[in-house]
Amino acid sequence: MIALRAAKAATAAAVALFASLVAFGNLTDYNTNFVFVEHVLSMDTIFPFSTIKYRAITNPTLHHAAYAAIIAAEVVIAVLCWIGAGALVRRLRAEAAAFNRAKTFSVLGLVLGFLLWQVGFMSIGGEWFGMWQSQQWNGVPSAFRFVMTIIAVLIFLAMPDQELDRGGAT
């Protein structure tokens, strides 16, 4: 059904838009979210009695490097998802095999998005740096929302598409 194919392209584009806006915000308002990264890595707002503070990274150069890596990943996610959404739109009426092959860039972008927010924010930030302990700088709930959205889009997109019904309404 062409509506399902269009929905897959639209959901890939929606994630591309989200990643684009996040990256744009981080580039144009650098210091706002840099402070977040700085506090998470410094572990200066976690529970005062926490015994994991030895993991803290307090070097500002490393804070900037980590933030640059996050922004770069967001840009790559956006680019891959935009390319993928475009490829899907161009093949909306193509044979099923061609449409299914056109999913590659979207899948790559979605997987990278999953890895950034699940591994980067939830696992490394949340668990290794104890971000969940911070009242001010806990990004785990937001990261979880992003991960759930991205994984839902990835599952929907990965569902194989069938041939279009060429005889009737599509």
Side-chain angles (χ1 to χ4, degrees), residues 56-113:
I57 296 174
T58 57
N59 183 323
T61 302
L62 294 178
H63 296 165
H64 285 284
Y67 192 38
I70 291 167
I71 295 169
E74 292 163 351
V75 168
V76 173
I77 293 162
V79 168
L80 288 171
C81 287
W82 281 124
I83 291 169
L88 293 172
V89 167
R90 284 190 302 279
R91 290 168 185 84
L92 279 178
R93 298 187 182 278
E95 293 181 4
F99 185 81
N100 286 322
R101 282 191 306 272
K103 297 175 182 180
T104 301
F105 284 102
S106 294
V107 168
L108 291 173
L110 293 165
V111 168
L112 182 56

Side-chain angles (χ1 to χ4, degrees), residues 134-155:
S134 176
Q135 291 289 330
Q136 298 101 330
W137 305 105
N138 182 4
V140 172
S142 293
F144 181 77
R145 285 193 318 271
F146 305 157
V147 165
M148 289 293 92
T149 300
I150 289 169
I151 202 70
V153 172
L154 182 58
I155 291 167

Side-chain angles (χ1 to χ4, degrees), residues 111-124:
V111 168
L112 182 56
F114 175 86
L115 292 173
L116 173 63
W117 282 291
Q118 199 287 321
V119 175
F121 283 83
M122 293 175 66
S123 297
I124 296 172

